Structure formats: C-alpha cells, structure tokens
Amino acid sequence: MYSIKQDLKNYSKRSDSRVDEALLGNGSFKPSWRYLMDAVADIGSDELHAREQKALRILRDDGANYNNHSKSQVDKNQLWSLDLLPHLIESDDWHTIETGLQERAELFNHIFSDLYGPRELITRGIIPPQLVFGHKGFLRENDGVRLPGEHQIIVHATDMLRRENGDMCVLTDRAQAPSGFGYALENRRVMSRVLPSLFRDSHTHRLAGFFQLLRKKLINLAPDVSLPRIVVLTPGMFNETYFEHAFLANYLGFSLVEGKDLIVSEGLVWLRSVEGLSKVDVIVRRVDDVYCDPVELKPDSQLGVPGLLQVAREGNVAIVNPFGTGVVENPALLAYLPKISEYFLGHAPKLGSVSTWWCGDRDSYHSVMEDFDQFVVKPINRGVDEHSVVVSELSDENRVELIKKINAEPQNYVAQEKIIPTQVPALINKKLVKRSVVLRSFAIANEGASYQIMPGGMSRVNLNEQDSMVASRFGTISKDTWVLSSELERQYTSSLLTDSNVGYTQGALLSSGVIENLFWMGRYSERAEHNLRFLRTTFILLNDIDEISDRSKATLLKAITKSTYTYPGFLDDKKLLGNPEKELIKVISDQHKSGTISHSLRSLVTCSNQLKGSLPQDSFRVINDIDDQFDLLRQTLDNGVLSAPEEMLDPVVSSLLALSGIRHENMPRDYGWNFLELGRRIERVLQTITLLRSLLFVKLSDYEETSILESISLSTESFNSYQRHYGATLKLESMLEVIFTDSSCPRSLAFQIDRILEAILRLPGVKENAVEMGLGHVKEAQKLITSSSMLKLSLADQNVGVRKDLEQCCSQLHSLMSETSKFLSKKYFYSDKKVQQLEQKS
Amino acid sequence: MNYKITHSTRYKYSSAANHTINIAKMMPPSTERQRCHVNHLEISPSPKTISKRVDYFGNKLSYFTIEEPHTVLEIVAKSEVTVFPKQPVFDPISCAQVRQKIMNPVDKDTLLACEYTLASPFIRFNDTLTDQLIKFAKPLFDDDQLFLSAVDALNSKIFNEFKFDSNFSSISTPLQEIFEQRRGVCQDFSHISIACLRALGFPVKYVSGYIETLPPPGKEKLFGADASHAWFSVFVPEQGWFDFDPTNNKAAGEQHIVTAWGRDYSDVSPLKGMVLGGGKNSQLNISVDVSRYEL
C-alpha cells in the first residue's frame, strides 16, 4: 500500500548531488517545508488524491486550459496542470528577490524608452547597433510613441531559477504580452479551495493587491475620461492562453474582444456591440504587436485593427503593453546588461542574469565556438520553431546543423551558460518526487512609484525527470507560489470592482462577436437536443415489440437524414434501410460530418468556450458534462453496442435540458439572453418544420401512419398537450392543431413565434411597426400559422398521395425563418466586408 | 535647378469603398542638396482625419482616412523644389579603411549607419544569393581601391549588365530572380545595388524621389510623362551619404529630387494603405510631372 509518509521519509534520504530548496544541508527539511510536508502527510494519500480530483474538477469547470500547440492535440483543449504542493519562498529571501525584480523592471523600462527615443545606448556605444536594428521586435513604426507617465512597460515578467548557491538568476524577460499572471491567480483560487486550512495557516501573501494595482494603473492610463472603457484584446479561442485572456477580462471587469470587434474611426478606437459603437480607452493587448495593425505593421494580419497604431501614436488610446516591447525580450541584451545598468542606474544589477554571449560580437563568437559543448544556444527572435537547445545533448548531425545556422547569421544567436536549477518536492502521479523549478514573476508599473511585484508568481516544474530544461514543449506542471509572510497582512475585503481607491470603469459590453456566439450556441444546443429526441424515438420504434411496417421504417430513417442534414444517408442507399445500425451510429458520432449530433455538440462547446464571462458559471459544468457523456457514448457506439440505445442518449438530453434551465433561471435578461433565445427558438421552428415535412409529405396507410404520428408526438413532446385536448387516440388534424397553434404548448410553432417576436422587440433600435427590422417575416409566419386550416393541411391529394398543402405551408415557414436568421446576422453580427491592401509600384 | 513637381495618383474602385486609410510619402525634404519651398496634398474626397509627421527615417508623411463611401480616390502632391548644383566633396578613402571603420564604429553617425548593413524586408539573404552577390561585386572592392570609385564601378556594372524591362518584375518578385534574370526597373536596380553593398558589409539606403526627364531633341515635353524614381545612397564614415543612380549610370545630381529614404522600398512607398470594400478590380493611374521653372 502506497503511503505519502513513507515517501516523505525517503525524500530527504535520496542521494542526489542537486540542491533541493526544501532541504537543509544535513538533508532534513527546512522548518517551513517541514510544516507543509507534515500537513500534507496528515491529509493522507487517499484524501490527497481526492483533493487532486477536486482541483481538476474546479480547473475544468473554470475552463482553465493551456493549449500547447507543440503537442499536436488539435481537437481537445488541454487542461491546465497544477501540483498541489506549493513552491515556498521565505520572507527574507523574497525581499531580496523583490527588490531585484523592481530594479530590473525599471531598467528594462529605461531600455525601452531609450530605444524608441534618443537611442543613446547605441549612439554612446553601450550596445552594438546590430543587436537592436537586427531584432524583429524593434518596431520602427513605434518610434516616439509614448504612454502617459514615466513607465512604458506596464507589465514585465521574468523567468528565474535558483543557482546552487541560492541566488536567483533571470533566464528570460517577457514584455511583449506577458502571460501567466492569470494562471497564477487561478492556481491560487484552486489551492485556497482545495487546501483551505493549510493555506490559511501558512500566512501566505495575498495576490489581490497586485490585481487592484493593475486595474488602477490601467484606469489611470486612459486618456482624459472619467469612466474609461477597457478591453482585453485576444487573438481568439485558438490561442494557447485564451483561458487567461477570458479569465482576466472577467476578473477585472473588462470586455474580452477580438480584432474584428474593434474599429478605428475619426481617430478613435470603437467597440462594436449590439448597442452600437462605444469608445475604447485602454487596450490590454494579448495579441503580439506586429499583428495588431495591418496598415502599418504586418499587412496580412487578420487579428488586428486597421489604423490602431496611429490612434495610439496620437495618444487617443493606451495600449498595454505598448507596441514595440518585443525588442527588450532579446536575450542578447543580457550580455550587455551590466553596462546598461551602469549607464542608467550607476551600478550593476542587483539581480543577476544567466551569463550570455552574443554571437554577433566577434570575440564572443570565438569564445563560444572554442568551448561550444558547454553552452545552451538560443535564437534572439522568438518563433514557433525556435527553441533553446543544450548543445551537449545534440546529436552530431544536429550539432553540425546548429553551427551552420550560427555561422550563417551569428547575430541571430546567443550562447548561455548551462545552469543546473535547484529542485523542489512535487507530487506527480501520486508520488512525491524531486523536480527542477522555474519561477515566473510579474511586475506592474505603479502610479507615482516604482514597480510592484506580485508576491509569488507562477512556478513550473518539469513533468519528466530526465528533461534538462523546464520548458512547456517537454511538459510542465505548474505550482502555486507561496511567499510566506513574517506577520499577518491586512485582508483585502472590498471587491476589486467596487473599490473607490482603484477607480471605476464602464461595464463590460457585449461585443458583436459574443452576440453571434450566443445566437449560434442557442441554435446548436436546440439542434442537438431535437435530433437526439428524434433519434431516441426512432430507436424505440425500430425496436418495438409491435414491428412497424417497412414503409414506416423507411420514412423514419429518411427523415433522420433530412433532419440532421447528413445527406446522402438513408436517401441514397436502399441497402442501408434494411440494416440501419451503422448509419445511425454515424449520424450520432461522426465528428467530421456536419449535421451529426457529434458535430452539433462540438460546435456548441466551441461557441460556449468563447463565452466565458457571458454565461452563468454553472453552464460550464453542464457543458463539460455533455462533453464527457458524449465521449462515453461515442466510445460505446464505436464498439457497436446498441441494446436499448435510446437509453444511452438520455443523459445527454437531460444535460441539454439542464443547460436550458440554467439559461432560464440564472441569466440576466440582457441582449445576450435575447440572442440565445432567438437562436434556440428559430432552430426549433426550423427543426419542427423539417420533421413534419419529411415524415408526412407522402401519405401512408392509416395503420402505417400510427407509428409516424407516435414518433412526431414523442419527438416534439406534444403528447401531453394533445391528450389534454383530444384524448389518447392520435389523429393528424388534431396533432397539427397542437403543434401549429397551441400557444400554451412550449414546443408548438405558435409558442416559438411568440417568443421570437418578443425577443426581437427587445433588441436595440427595433420598433413595433418597423417591418424592415426583420419583424415582418416573423409576423408573416405568425399569420400563416393562425390562418391555415389544419384539416386542409392534414389531407393528401387523392391522385398522387402527397400532402401538398402541408408541404407548401412548411416550405413558406421555413424560408421566413431562414430570412429572419439572415436578417439578424446581417444587422447585428459582423459584416463580411474584406479589407484589402493598397499598394503600388513606383 | 528649380522644379515644379506634380504627382497624381488615382484609384477607381469597382464598387464603393467605405473606409480607406492611407499613408503618403510624397513630400520632398529640405536637405544639404535640395530645398523644398512648397508642398501640399490635394485629396479627394476630403479626408475625415489627416495628420502629418516625420517617420523613423526622417521622412515627411501624411496619414489620412476617408470614412465615407467613394468610388474614386485622388491624391495630388504638388511641390516646388530647388536642387543645388554643388555636389558633396569626397575625401579619398580606400575600401579597406571604410571596412575598418564600419566594423569598429565609434562616432554616432557610423553607429547609426550600421542599421543599413543589415537585411531588410525586401532585401533578404540566403547562402546562394549571398555567394552570387559577392561573386558579382567583390572584385570591384579591393582593399586599396578608392571606395566611391568602387561604388561607381558597381553602379556602372549594374547599368551595363541589367536590362531595363518594365514588364518583367512586380513588387513581389524575389531579389534572386531579378538577379538571375538581370532585368527589372529602377526599384529592382536599386535593390540589387543595395544587396551587393550589404553583402559586402557596407551601409546603404534606398532613396525614392523624382528625376527630370528631357524630351527627345526638337520635341516638346509632355505633361505627366515623368515617373517616380529610385536610387541608392551609400555611407562613407565621417563624410556622410553619397547617392548613385544605377538606372542611369551616374551619381545622383541636379536632376534628382529626393522624397524619402529607407532600408528598401517597403520603408518609402509613396502611398500605402488599406481599403474596406471597393470591390475586386480597382484601377490605378499614376502620373508624375517634373518641370523646370525660373525663380
């Protein structure tokens, strides 16, 4: 039986030449770590495992993903990984680190201001000109652009590790659009819920103050307005840290937007929303600068806002971090940092960096080549395929290749000393192990003072023992970082968004992108639910003890193809009708075919992933349930098990209903709700009509039609309403009466139309009698429903045996609803006008 | 010499453009070589926003937006410029000396000029191209050769070995193809010269501007028959920048009017921008007129 206590005893005994941060020289735990490890041991292995599971659930419900693209997992989001053992840093130790980080952020701010200003670092010969001019992060278009105030780099991040002597050493500086402080906050939230008493008793410094300061700084950066509007600009849900963008926007109370949500007009930046255009004052940028403005920067970028740089240049929008910050991420600067620090601050930096040689300097190049195997080589520009490599670990072939690359462009590489990082205890796969640790710290520019450092940060350890570097492409696990305080600190009791010391902003607006996603989320969830019901009904009827006729069976199966739009399906192949199982499984689980249940659910999940902050928190738990249930269902179906298949669909239907319940009970009735409602109702009309058309167009014998009517009644859940009015015997005319006109039945067409009308009337700019506002189509549909004779619709043409009137009525309704949907997308979603380049040759 | 320059650009869109953003670099600066007396832009329809500034390279530019539907965009830049006859004097300095000063830059101008020894958006190197360029140009730049004589020789070599062909290249034709096919227009000739000099480690800029063309003897000059022109400018430590025109096999002189400098064409294009809408087929008409006048 595995025991954490046993592991703990062995931990300190393990002979290892590496320095362990948790241990004293004699191999026993340091007091702070002793306390932590004892507490963890007291929790016990089983309970600890249970808490890990709880942590996973919280992370999943929060949608905390990190989509690491270097692993080719395109389909599923990867969950953020968190080790329950925190990384402890003692108070005194932290004080030294903090002072060093503050100074470093100031130093990098000086570098940035100089390079986009007087460039004295170059003209006074402190750094070689090619080091700046040859770096891709140096944006000449940004020359002279400044944010108000002394601080230009608002968020500065560093990756650090500890040398064997205990000194912290910076490996990398990040200022382009630093990520990780949102994940650090999420880590803290999970830890404080999963290990509440341990966290409480540890006297760990809180993070809330850091975020208050960030919010305050952003508010102060806004060009002269009392209530600024602040947005977080994201490249979109496929970005690896999309979770963090959404999480921060939500936590700080800002709108999450993509480039297409913003436009530049009259020299200002505007957010497009249902309510029209609203001026944007501050943009928290999570899109790399060169992608932000196709007019002046990367012309083919789809992620930016044409004209944005000019607005920033004129000081009419503050961009955080500003454009051009990528230049300070150049690792070659580290080779000159002591000289730079001497120039700006008059002394060497307090916090050391990894020893670095820039290969663009001839002398450095030669000394690197002399002793090549002892270095880590790193390209100066960040790129998808550009990584640090440990030369001694390279194959001969790769080593030759690397030398060739360096010789071709020596100025594009640095060599760095190989540092063996210290280790910390980690719980990986239920085992207590030693792992190398890297700490990412964060500095925020503080109004009228120096930088403020997040007390703690995001620690990461390598997943696999043998990896010499802690790098996400090899797999890492994050840790919450606990900076232990020597005394109790004051609690931040007031909410972040209502603290008058911090200041106020405009509320988050629903962008056009969010509205569109809500609409489609409504449509996909209804589509999935409707088709699941119909499939369930079909399974029941196919396996009924009273066998149904072949013609009824064929009608049902063909209707499945038509309802799901998975052509050719049952329409093309007569053989399939005799042996429908395989095709039915495909209709449920084929992910790649549009129209299948799988596809609708996947689309539903995709839409909802882009709606963090716009949907009630509970929805995400239910959506995760749907995802899980469906994975399970698909696995079962892959094995071809189809006994009582209808029962396997039930849990998914229930979850979809739960989602709808949450929408009903927990969502504010704002514009967003209206679009979700519209999507749902419009889809339901379309689905119901398609079902009726495909099942009833050809008239079968009365006997055969019994099962058809039964399937309609079951799939549309109209049986109760029917029974109330007409008793238990199913008759088509009465059934149509219920489905078309019974406005008390929540699945009738009349009911949907009423809701659609209400929802459209609540949209901004819509007046009761404005026909052109899309109301016209809906009203026409309403008239068509009330004026049609159900008797007439139920009858078939004597000669050809088809229900022409029903077909005509349904076809009209269908096109009226499609028009309504098109109208909404044209008016409220994005216009599809393309931006083109204007260029000429001299 | 005094010139009146009219540079007209006209876009006709196949359907209405709703919003355009443009950056025009059509304003000759005043320098040691020339003085710009008058410069203004006439833009139609009239811009919603317009702002003038000087860019990173020291070029004057106008940034303007049009935010109403329009099917024609017309920009007319009118300038009056005096180009001085006096040419900069060159102190004899050898290729070896130039190389030495560039490799170990000390003074501010040389340090900043180092930017122009590097690859740039239109001038990218690969092993093959670099070898070809060095093979082509290096023999002219022997250590004891006078530097500007060597540059002049390179200028002539390109003029002699490359064919002027206005139908061969487009803006996206790779440098290597131009070099191998030995044909192109002034822009290509300048890029090739720049690539050669940078491959050898010398700082060199791209210059855009206008050149006065003279009508055939006995004929009257037609209005609008001129064109924008391009050449290059090479740096000599402690002496400054010297302009050469490989398309015309001479040093830039009294007939060359500078509008902008940069690392290559991408930094100086006379007009660039974006248009929202406007349809697929827009027609572009450009006319340039450079005429002498008496002050």
Side-chain angles (χ1 to χ4, degrees):
Chain A
M1 185 63 196
Y2 166 77
S3 145
I4 183 118
K5 287 199 168 133
Q6 193 54 47
D7 254 14
L8 208 51
K9 273 186 199 144
N10 295 336
Y11 186 88
S12 40
K13 282 188 207 146
R14 217 167 297 167
S15 64
D16 194 329
S17 56
R18 308 258 309 265
V19 172
D20 191 310
E21 291 189 20
L23 303 179
L24 292 164
N26 64 9
S28 62
F29 279 104
K30 291 175 184 168
S32 54
W33 284 91
R34 174 90 260 162
Y35 178 79
L36 170 72
M37 301 313 275
D38 283 347
V40 166
D42 284 345
I43 292 171
S45 316
D46 290 345
E47 177 59 19
L48 206 55
H49 182 59
R51 302 215 185 170
E52 270 180 359
Q53 293 304 309
K54 194 172 159 193
L56 282 177
R57 259 198 319 277
I58 299 173
L59 287 168
R60 181 135 191 250
D61 290 345
D62 288 351
N65 294 321
Y66 178 79
N67 306 318
N68 188 347
H69 296 303
S70 52
K71 296 182 185 159
S72 56
Q73 255 196 311
V74 188
D75 201 30
K76 274 260 171 179
N77 291 314
Q78 283 167 278
L79 197 60
W80 180 246
S81 62
L82 170 64
D83 177 11
L84 288 196
L85 280 184
H87 181 199
L88 301 187
I89 299 179
E90 308 260 3
S91 180
D92 290 351
D93 186 16
W94 179 252
H95 182 71
T96 313
I97 298 170
E98 191 180 30
T99 322
L101 285 170
Q102 273 176 337
E103 183 196 87
R104 191 176 183 94
E106 290 288 356
L107 187 54
F108 275 77
N109 188 57
H110 279 302
I111 298 175
F112 179 86
S113 300
D114 179 68
L115 294 182
Y116 292 102
R119 282 185 278 284
E120 286 179 357
L121 286 174
I122 295 169
T123 57
R124 291 177 183 249
I126 293 158
I127 54 177
Q130 287 89 343
L131 186 152
V132 175
F133 295 134
H135 191 257
K136 286 183 187 160
F138 183 56
L139 297 190
R140 291 160 178 81
E141 295 79 0
N142 193 60
D143 192 37
V145 180
R146 282 190 68 84
L147 286 174
E150 174 193 344
H151 291 136
Q152 299 300 302
I153 296 181
I154 305 303
V155 185
H156 176 247
T158 56
D159 282 335
M160 293 181 286
L161 47 72
R162 217 183 266 277
R163 291 179 188 274
E164 291 193 331
N165 68 3
D167 288 348
M168 275 291 190
C169 166
V170 177
L171 282 181
T172 314
D173 294 87
R174 289 280 175 255
Q176 170 66 266
S179 65
F181 51 104
Y183 286 105
L185 181 61
E186 173 71 2
N187 282 351
R188 178 59 56 84
R189 284 182 9 153
V190 174
M191 290 293 282
S192 60
R193 283 168 70 188
V194 174
L195 295 168
S197 53
L198 183 59
F199 174 71
R200 231 180 3 255
D201 297 342
S202 66
H203 302 319
T204 299
H205 275 287
R206 306 299 160 116
L207 303 182
F210 176 84
F211 287 93
Q212 286 195 335
L213 198 75
L214 171 62
R215 199 175 133 88
K216 188 172 173 181
K217 178 68 192 175
L218 294 173
I219 291 172
N220 284 335
L221 282 173
D224 199 29
V225 279
S226 55
L227 270 187
R229 181 173 305 286
I230 304 179
V231 300
V232 175
L233 178 65
T234 173
M237 66 171 297
F238 296 107
N239 184 266
E240 55 187 357
T241 59
Y242 179 74
F243 156 73
E244 186 171 75
H245 311 165
F247 179 70
L248 286 172
N250 204 15
Y251 181 73
L252 296 166
F254 307 150
S255 296
L256 180 69
V257 304
E258 293 181 33
K260 59 188 178 179
D261 292 317
L262 301 178
I263 62 162
V264 167
S265 174
E266 301 184 14
L268 300 168
V269 182
W270 306 85
L271 170 61
R272 310 209 276 199
S273 76
V274 210
E275 291 150 84
L277 298 179
S278 316
K279 184 160 84 76
V280 173
D281 305 295
V282 181
I283 297 176
V284 179
R285 173 175 70 81
R286 293 303 289 268
V287 175
D288 279 359
D289 48 17
V290 292
Y291 290 93
C292 282
D293 183 357
V295 173
E296 293 195 64
L297 303 169
K298 200 173 164 20
D300 55 351
S301 169
Q302 303 289 319
L303 303 173
V305 187
L308 184 57
L309 177 47
Q310 178 67 11
V311 187
R313 184 180 285 130
E314 292 183 348
N316 290 329
V317 71
I319 294 179
V320 174
N321 278 343
F323 294 145
T325 35
V327 74
V328 303
E329 295 190 353
N330 182 353
L333 284 171
L334 299 184
Y336 300 87
L337 210 57
K339 273 170 80 184
I340 297 171
S341 179
E342 198 64 48
Y343 178 69
F344 286 122
L345 308 174
H347 58 80
K350 288 184 189 138
L351 183 64
S353 336
V354 57
S355 300
T356 301
W357 291 264
W358 180 46
C359 297
D361 175 76
R362 264 159 296 150
D363 296 344
S364 304
Y365 167 83
H366 289 303
S367 37
V368 167
M369 284 301 158
E370 254 166 47
D371 218 349
F372 197 47
D373 288 329
Q374 66 163 338
F375 292 106
V376 175
V377 169
K378 196 175 185 178
I380 64 161
N381 291 301
R382 280 169 89 183
V384 185
D385 300 316
E386 306 279 4
H387 304 295
S388 301
V389 287
V390 180
V391 177
S392 59
E393 290 175 5
L394 290 176
S395 66
D396 286 350
E397 193 188 337
N398 290 341
R399 190 176 181 278
V400 170
E401 189 61 30
L402 179 63
I403 292 179
K404 215 176 129 192
K405 273 161 74 180
I406 297 175
N407 285 339
E409 293 176 314
Q411 72 280 9
N412 287 346
Y413 294 88
V414 293
Q416 298 184 317
E417 69 175 311
K418 196 161 65 188
I419 299 178
I420 297 167
T422 50
Q423 295 186 300
V424 290
L427 271 174
I428 295 177
N429 297 327
K430 300 192 205 171
K431 283 241 177 293
L432 184 65
V433 293
K434 285 169 182 261
R435 285 293 182 270
S436 306
V437 65
V438 170
L439 170 62
R440 175 166 291 194
S441 67
F442 304 95
I444 288 281
N446 193 354
E447 204 64 21
S450 182
Y451 283 82
Q452 175 126 336
I453 311 301
M454 175 190 278
M458 190 187 65
S459 297
R460 285 181 301 161
V461 296
N462 49 331
L463 179 62
N464 305 306
E465 197 172 2
Q466 70 278 9
D467 292 333
S468 58
M469 273 188 278
V470 183
S472 54
R473 69 184 194 278
F474 298 134
T476 59
I477 296 179
S478 78
K479 276 173 172 290
D480 191 11
T481 310
W482 289 6
V483 172
L484 306 175
S485 93
S486 41
E487 62 215 69
L488 275 177
E489 69 182 300
R490 99 186 148 85
Q491 299 283 319
Y492 289 92
T493 45
S494 60
S495 150
L496 183 68
L497 305 188
T498 54
D499 187 341
S500 58
N501 290 323
V502 173
Y504 299 100
T505 65
Q506 300 274 353
L509 266 185
L510 292 170
S511 68
S512 303
V514 167
I515 294 295
E516 186 174 7
N517 273 314
L518 284 165
F519 179 75
W520 281 101
M521 185 181 165
R523 290 201 61 170
Y524 284 122
S525 61
E526 179 61 27
R527 188 173 299 174
E529 189 193 321
H530 175 91
N531 286 327
L532 276 167
R533 273 176 208 287
F534 184 38
L535 276 160
R536 188 173 63 171
T537 307
T538 309
F539 280 130
I540 294 172
L541 291 171
L542 288 179
N543 300 327
D544 205 1
I545 33 170
D546 302 324
E547 210 174 305
I548 62 171
S549 80
D550 283 351
R551 285 222 296 173
S552 313
K553 191 172 160 186
T555 306
L556 279 171
L557 292 174
K558 285 177 181 171
I560 283 181
T561 302
K562 289 176 186 165
S563 285
T564 52
Y565 225 77
T566 50
Y567 294 101
F570 290 107
L571 293 182
D572 213 26
D573 193 345
K574 288 226 164 68
K575 271 182 280 172
L576 279 182
L577 292 172
N579 193 5
E581 189 174 294
K582 221 172 141 190
E583 176 64 18
L584 285 173
I585 291 179
K586 239 174 95 180
V587 169
I588 296 173
S589 61
D590 189 341
Q591 293 193 69
H592 304 293
K593 188 155 181 163
S594 138
T596 61
I597 304 286
S598 181
H599 184 268
S600 298
L601 290 177
R602 179 68 58 223
S603 308
L604 166 65
V605 172
T606 306
C607 286
S608 63
N609 278 342
Q610 299 177 74
L611 290 167
K612 299 266 153 62
S614 306
L615 289 176
Q617 189 58 32
D618 283 339
S619 332
F620 296 102
R621 221 182 47 247
V622 176
I623 287 162
N624 285 333
D625 286 347
I626 294 174
D627 218 15
D628 288 347
Q629 287 156 351
F630 199 73
D631 276 349
L632 190 69
L633 174 64
R634 226 171 35 212
Q635 281 163 25
T636 322
L637 289 176
D638 283 348
N639 298 328
V641 187
L642 267 185
S643 68
E646 65 277 7
E647 286 193 12
M648 296 184 345
L649 304 181
D650 287 345
V652 187
V653 176
S654 306
S655 296
L656 284 166
L657 285 171
L659 191 60
S660 161
I662 292 168
R663 171 179 71 98
H664 241 281
E665 296 302 323
N666 296 4
M667 254 186 102
R669 297 305 196 257
D670 58 10
Y671 293 129
W673 190 87
N674 276 290
F675 279 93
L676 192 53
E677 171 86 352
L678 280 166
R680 216 176 152 83
R681 300 294 170 195
I682 288 173
E683 183 72 23
R684 191 173 287 176
V685 173
L686 293 172
Q687 288 293 347
T688 306
I689 292 167
T690 306
L691 187 76
L692 294 176
R693 288 168 91 176
S694 47
L695 287 175
L696 295 170
F697 179 57
V698 178
K699 162 122 182 51
L700 306 180
S701 73
D702 288 350
Y703 163 72
E704 285 169 325
E705 281 206 333
T706 319
S707 36
I708 299 293
L709 294 189
E710 202 179 328
S711 83
I712 296 174
S713 147
L714 284 171
S715 323
T716 58
E717 294 275 357
S718 57
F719 188 69
N720 288 343
S721 304
Y722 182 89
Q723 210 177 20
R724 196 151 42 89
H725 295 292
Y726 306 105
T729 321
L730 294 174
K731 215 176 128 234
L732 180 57
E733 184 195 345
S734 319
M735 187 176 242
L736 290 179
E737 192 78 45
V738 172
I739 294 177
F740 271 74
T741 62
D742 184 351
S743 55
S744 70
C745 167
R747 299 217 168 241
S748 73
L749 294 176
F751 186 90
Q752 314 313 315
I753 298 287
D754 288 349
R755 299 293 88 73
I756 292 170
L757 273 176
E758 287 167 8
I760 291 184
L761 279 170
R762 281 190 296 259
L763 295 183
V766 178
K767 298 255 159 38
E768 175 67 47
N769 46 10
V771 181
E772 75 285 359
M773 299 302 280
L775 273 181
H777 298 308
V778 190
K779 284 191 172 158
E780 206 176 315
Q782 191 174 42
K783 217 165 114 192
L784 188 61
I785 287 169
T786 47
S787 65
S788 296
S789 147
M790 295 305 135
L791 176 63
K792 220 173 143 211
L793 294 185
S794 72
L795 295 177
D797 186 304
Q798 295 292 342
N799 302 322
V800 277
V802 296
R803 296 189 171 92
K804 270 192 185 159
D805 290 325
L806 180 67
E807 172 61 22
Q808 201 196 349
C809 174
C810 286
S811 143
Q812 259 180 296
L813 281 174
H814 200 280
S815 73
L816 288 169
M817 279 303 113
S818 306
E819 285 303 318
T820 309
S821 181
K822 271 187 216 153
F823 155 78
L824 290 170
S825 86
K826 207 171 149 198
K827 173 151 173 69
Y828 294 102
F829 310 154
Y830 297 116
S831 65
D832 50 3
K833 287 191 188 92
K834 286 269 181 297
V835 168
Q836 4 177 331
Q837 290 295 312
L838 238 173
E839 188 105 38
Q840 66 180 57
K841 187 164 169 147
S842 70
Chain B
M1 203 66 69
N2 306 307
Y3 296 103
K4 280 189 178 164
I5 303 149
T6 309
H7 182 169
S8 317
T9 309
R10 188 171 189 271
Y11 282 95
K12 190 170 186 329
Y13 301 110
S14 54
S15 66
N18 296 310
H19 194 144
T20 61
I21 302 175
N22 295 280
I23 300 170
K25 294 185 182 171
M26 302 172 171
M27 287 142 279
S30 289
T31 67
E32 285 179 9
R33 277 194 60 231
Q34 67 183 34
R35 167 149 306 133
C36 180
H37 313 285
V38 177
N39 173 258
H40 59 98
L41 279 185
E42 289 163 12
I43 301 162
S44 149
S46 68
K48 182 85 190 177
T49 64
I50 182 159
S51 73
K52 291 184 182 178
R53 67 183 178 92
V54 173
D55 74 4
Y56 173 85
F57 302 98
N59 305 314
K60 289 197 274 183
L61 65 82
S62 267
Y63 188 111
F64 62 91
T65 64
I66 294 164
E67 306 186 20
E68 59 182 296
H70 58 286
T71 49
V72 174
L73 168 63
E74 194 157 27
I75 299 138
V76 182
K78 290 185 177 166
S79 319
E80 292 177 23
V81 181
T82 302
V83 182
F84 308 126
K86 202 176 114 215
Q87 292 305 307
V89 190
F90 172 58
D91 241 353
I93 175 170
S94 72
C95 293
Q97 283 171 299
V98 172
R99 252 191 284 271
Q100 198 275 335
K101 284 179 193 291
I102 297 295
M103 299 274 271
N104 306 289
V106 187
D107 65 297
K108 183 177 168 175
D109 288 344
T110 312
L111 282 160
L112 291 176
C114 285
E115 175 163 26
Y116 300 92
T117 61
L118 301 170
S120 56
F122 277 116
I123 300 182
R124 302 205 171 281
F125 296 99
N126 57 54
D127 291 352
T128 328
L129 180 62
T130 308
D131 288 349
Q132 286 172 334
L133 293 168
I134 288 178
K135 208 173 142 204
F136 182 83
K138 189 145 194 280
L140 306 173
F141 290 82
D142 281 344
D143 274 356
D144 46 9
Q145 188 62 243
L146 280 182
F147 180 61
L148 281 194
S149 312
V151 175
D152 196 38
L154 174 69
N155 201 44
S156 301
K157 189 169 160 75
I158 288 170
F159 174 80
N160 290 323
E161 295 186 21
F162 284 66
K163 187 171 157 43
F164 188 91
D165 180 347
S166 50
N167 296 318
F168 174 69
S169 61
S170 80
I171 197 155
S172 55
T173 311
L175 202 58
Q176 182 133 19
E177 199 179 324
I178 309 255
F179 186 78
E180 282 165 7
Q181 300 298 321
R182 305 271 152 124
R183 53 183 61 216
V185 293
C186 59
Q187 186 176 64
D188 306 312
F189 285 29
S190 305
H191 279 159
I192 293 289
S193 314
I194 293 168
C196 287
L197 288 161
R198 287 190 191 160
L200 298 174
F202 299 116
V204 54
K205 281 181 184 179
Y206 182 99
V207 187
S208 78
Y210 308 105
I211 187 166
E212 181 199 26
T213 51
L214 296 173
K219 296 266 170 81
E220 188 144 332
K221 195 181 163 189
L222 297 171
F223 185 86
D226 299 295
S228 354
H229 191 48
W231 58 95
F232 70 89
S233 184
V234 71
F235 181 75
V236 180
E238 291 146 30
Q239 298 191 41
W241 298 88
F242 293 81
D243 291 18
F244 289 85
D245 179 354
T247 315
N248 292 304
N249 192 19
K250 58 180 171 189
E254 235 183 324
Q255 288 176 305
H256 290 77
I257 303 122
V258 177
T259 51
W261 308 276
R263 293 165 299 164
D264 58 38
Y265 176 72
S266 66
D267 291 330
V268 299
S269 60
L271 189 67
K272 72 171 188 176
M274 300 204 78
V275 50
L276 192 70
K280 280 213 168 72
N281 304 303
S282 63
Q283 282 174 20
L284 170 64
N285 284 304
I286 301 170
S287 82
V288 174
D289 189 83
V290 179
S291 9
R292 293 184 186 196
Y293 74 102
E294 296 304 321
L295 268 181

